Amino acid sequence: MASRCWRWWGWSAWPRTRLPPAGSTPSFCHHFSTQEKTPQICVVGSGPAGFYTAQHLLKQHPQAHVDIYEKQPVPFGLVRFGVAPDHPEVKNVINTFTQTAHSGRCAFWGNVEVGRDVTVPELQEAYHAVVLSYGAEDHRALEIPGEELPGVCSARAFVGWYNGLPENQELEPDLSCDTAVILGQGNVALDVARILLTPPEHLEALLLCQRTDITKAALGVLRQSRVKTVWLVGRRGPLQVAFTIKELREMIQLPGARPILDPVDFLGLQDKIKEVPRPRKRLTELLLRTATEKPGPAEAARQASASRAWGLRFFRSPQQVLPSPDGRRAAGVRLAVTRLEGVDEATRAVPTGDMEDLPCGLVLSSIGYKSRPVDPSVPFDSKLGVIPNVEGRVMDVPGLYCSGWVKRGPTGVIATTMTDSFLTGQMLLQDLKAGLLPSGPRPGYAAIQALLSSRGVRPVSFSDWEKLDAEEVARGQGTGKPREKLVDPQEMLRLLGH
């Protein structure tokens, strides 16, 4: 019977590499044997990867129970802590995740750090399957001299600071300088540049129309910022930038700021873009127009009156963060001039031997996020920063799976993670159906609750989160914001009576 269900989709066997058409994912026709009827499944991480994995499992298996564990007291991962505070529409996916959490077969347990409060082997003993979806909690280091100087931080930490991530609330970035340099040319780099250069009055306008949940502390620091120029530095050229056209358009249209692009960087590009995929072509054409075409009267007037500026520096690779004369903080970046070798995906930047110094008072590294190993029992590729896996099945560990950035690396957008997580869910259910997972009942959360209780850990439920959510919304109303985020885990636990 099950095979007939798949034939309806034109497949004679389980689809291993692609999903059914959107909105029409086939179910398993509910033909599970007795031992498969109530699988207890655990998901580690409550960001998009965790919630989308849980959503797929609950939808495709009529009796599955999914527990989602999260080290923060609050859910939603990078949707809460990574999405730019002036992009509230991107956070609408939280409504979908909330529906999943409200399922009678799903439970959220925050304030539980897997690897510290409970081990992965302990979870494996309690559940039929464990899915690791904890994302990329770290940043890639520059590995250059001077990286440790005050005035240097990761873009990830800066984003966490203005988005209310508890671990980054002590950051206190010094924005008293005139120039900031961001090393990297992806969407995170553009987000950071936009936040740094958004005029205080524009931030106030966003507040008035309830379009930002930036933290109160960050808003206070940004109001006093003296940063007027932001350079975004990349090792390669315009054809290799990692940001998308939406974020670029926002930067070009940013009130009070003008772009600085060197037309020389774009010489010969018109012919090269004819063969590239359409999204890349549109992006490069926008860069090309901005760099080489004379703006119309209105845009020229806007740029002439702009008090702030941002620019893209191509073909530059950071070699050293330069110290101030007293050696106490960052005062610039030494850059190696590069040229490109190879074609298409194999294109790489090689140094020409020339150097140049770029003065600045703030250096933000935005060269990528990186996952950490969660538990000694779990294989981990420290070079690639991922858990070794085949289609989400952790190599050499039956019953252990992974989804999202810890599975494939920190690339793509929320929709990419959704597809990736659904595929991991499919692999897990295929293994369940094939009898490859433990048979017989498993205790699930009951066993883990006892362990946590004996260790003095108080989990935060989803209904607890909804109380914190209501508190944040109430605090935000006083200042015209959609919410004022709680940033202190201890305060959150006190509010819950923990």
Side-chain angles (χ1 to χ4, degrees):
M1 182 65 178
S3 62
R4 284 203 295 276
C5 296
W6 288 117
R7 279 196 203 102
W8 186 77
W9 289 96
W11 294 315
S12 59
W14 186 274
R16 294 179 63 83
T17 57
R18 63 189 178 104
L19 287 170
S24 50
T25 309
S27 73
F28 280 75
C29 301
H30 300 182
H31 288 277
F32 288 89
S33 67
T34 306
Q35 71 184 43
E36 298 164 5
K37 273 193 173 173
T38 53
Q40 298 282 337
I41 302 167
C42 154
V43 173
V44 178
S46 70
F51 265 105
Y52 278 128
T53 302
Q55 178 186 320
H56 190 79
L57 294 169
L58 294 166
K59 185 177 180 182
Q60 297 304 315
H61 194 298
Q63 277 85 38
H65 184 95
V66 181
D67 289 324
I68 302 173
Y69 291 92
E70 167 60 54
K71 78 169 190 173
Q72 301 291 343
V74 296
F76 310 133
L78 279 184
V79 179
R80 177 179 169 95
F81 296 122
V83 172
D86 56 347
H87 285 176
E89 70 286 351
V90 181
K91 303 188 183 194
N92 289 339
V93 71
I94 283 176
N95 299 329
T96 303
F97 298 162
T98 298
Q99 287 179 351
T100 299
H102 282 161
S103 164
R105 295 183 288 120
C106 183
F108 166 82
W109 301 111
N111 195 42
V112 177
E113 185 170 348
V114 173
R116 184 193 67 184
D117 300 329
V118 62
T119 67
V120 171
E122 287 168 339
L123 292 174
Q124 289 174 290
E125 283 292 313
Y127 292 90
H128 292 98
V130 175
V131 187
L132 301 173
S133 310
Y134 59 85
E137 303 178 278
D138 212 343
H139 68 279
R140 286 177 56 200
L142 291 168
E143 297 181 345
I144 60 174
E147 186 175 9
E148 74 293 337
L149 284 168
V152 183
C153 74
S154 72
R156 188 194 191 288
F158 191 77
V159 169
W161 167 72
Y162 64 62
N163 270 333
L165 183 60
E167 67 196 55
N168 297 133
Q169 292 315 291
E170 303 301 317
L171 189 66
E172 296 180 358
D174 183 355
L175 306 185
S176 63
C177 59
D178 176 81
T179 302
V181 168
I182 301 173
L183 301 172
Q185 293 181 337
N187 278 342
V188 173
L190 281 193
D191 279 347
V192 169
R194 194 178 66 255
I195 295 297
L196 279 172
L197 292 176
T198 298
E201 62 271 18
H202 190 63
L203 286 173
E204 303 294 346
L206 288 173
L207 275 178
L208 288 172
C209 57
Q210 293 204 345
R211 284 187 54 81
T212 181
D213 60 1
I214 194 166
T215 65
K216 182 179 179 181
L219 195 56
V221 174
L222 288 165
R223 281 192 184 113
Q224 303 300 316
S225 172
R226 295 181 189 170
V227 175
K228 299 297 182 189
T229 305
V230 176
W231 292 104
L232 297 100
V233 177
R235 291 177 298 114
R236 298 189 291 173
L239 266 177
Q240 289 80 35
V241 295
F243 50 72
T244 51
I245 194 166
K246 176 181 179 289
E247 279 68 24
L248 174 62
R249 199 175 283 122
E250 279 185 298
M251 280 302 294
I252 292 170
Q253 298 168 353
L254 186 66
R258 61 185 176 87
I260 308 171
L261 298 175
D262 187 347
V264 173
D265 290 332
F266 297 85
L267 290 174
L269 213 57
Q270 193 72 58
D271 293 330
K272 292 179 182 177
I273 62 176
K274 291 175 182 175
E275 305 300 321
V276 300
R278 187 168 179 268
R280 172 68 65 181
K281 183 180 180 183
R282 289 176 61 234
L283 171 65
T284 311
E285 284 173 341
L286 178 56
L287 277 171
L288 196 58
R289 286 196 304 272
T290 307
T292 61
E293 292 183 7
K294 187 177 179 180
E299 177 61 15
R302 188 190 77 82
Q303 291 188 17
S305 65
S307 61
R308 303 179 180 203
W310 61 276
L312 297 170
R313 297 294 287 268
F314 298 109
F315 310 111
R316 301 291 186 273
S317 177
Q319 302 300 299
Q320 179 186 355
V321 177
L322 301 170
S324 56
D326 62 7
R328 291 188 177 180
R329 61 175 298 105
V333 183
R334 179 156 293 161
L335 302 169
V337 180
T338 64
R339 58 180 170 81
L340 296 184
E341 284 187 355
V343 293
D344 300 330
E345 295 300 313
T347 303
R348 62 191 186 96
V350 296
T352 64
D354 293 333
M355 294 279 182
E356 66 179 37
D357 293 347
L358 184 57
C360 65
L362 177 66
V363 180
L364 295 153
S365 66
S366 186
I367 57 171
Y369 287 15
K370 187 174 73 172
S371 295
R372 299 172 182 161
V374 69
D375 191 286
S377 68
V378 180
F380 191 78
D381 185 328
S382 55
K383 186 176 180 183
L384 296 177
V386 297
I387 295 172
N389 69 92
V390 178
E391 296 180 313
R393 298 178 175 100
V394 176
M395 291 175 67
D396 303 321
V397 190
L400 190 62
Y401 302 82
C402 56
S403 68
W405 283 3
V406 78
K407 168 186 172 182
R408 71 178 191 277
T411 59
V413 294
I414 290 175
T416 322
T417 295
M418 177 182 72
T419 305
D420 169 276
S421 302
F422 285 3
L423 285 170
T424 291
Q426 283 189 354
M427 296 303 105
L428 189 160
L429 292 175
Q430 177 182 349
D431 292 349
L432 178 68
K433 197 160 186 60
L436 299 177
L437 299 181
S439 59
R442 287 286 168 113
Y445 179 66
I448 302 304
Q449 184 182 28
L451 283 175
L452 295 174
S453 179
S454 70
R455 293 164 187 172
V457 179
R458 294 285 298 274
V460 172
S461 68
F462 200 78
S463 62
D464 286 336
W465 149 245
E466 290 180 318
K467 293 172 188 170
L468 297 176
D469 179 45
E471 176 67 19
E472 289 187 345
V473 171
R475 292 187 183 190
Q477 285 174 346
T479 53
K481 294 169 66 176
R483 69 177 61 244
E484 184 61 60
K485 286 179 180 173
L486 297 163
V487 298
D488 179 0
Q490 294 308 313
E491 182 187 7
M492 296 180 201
L493 297 177
R494 281 197 302 273
L495 286 168
L496 295 171
H498 285 201

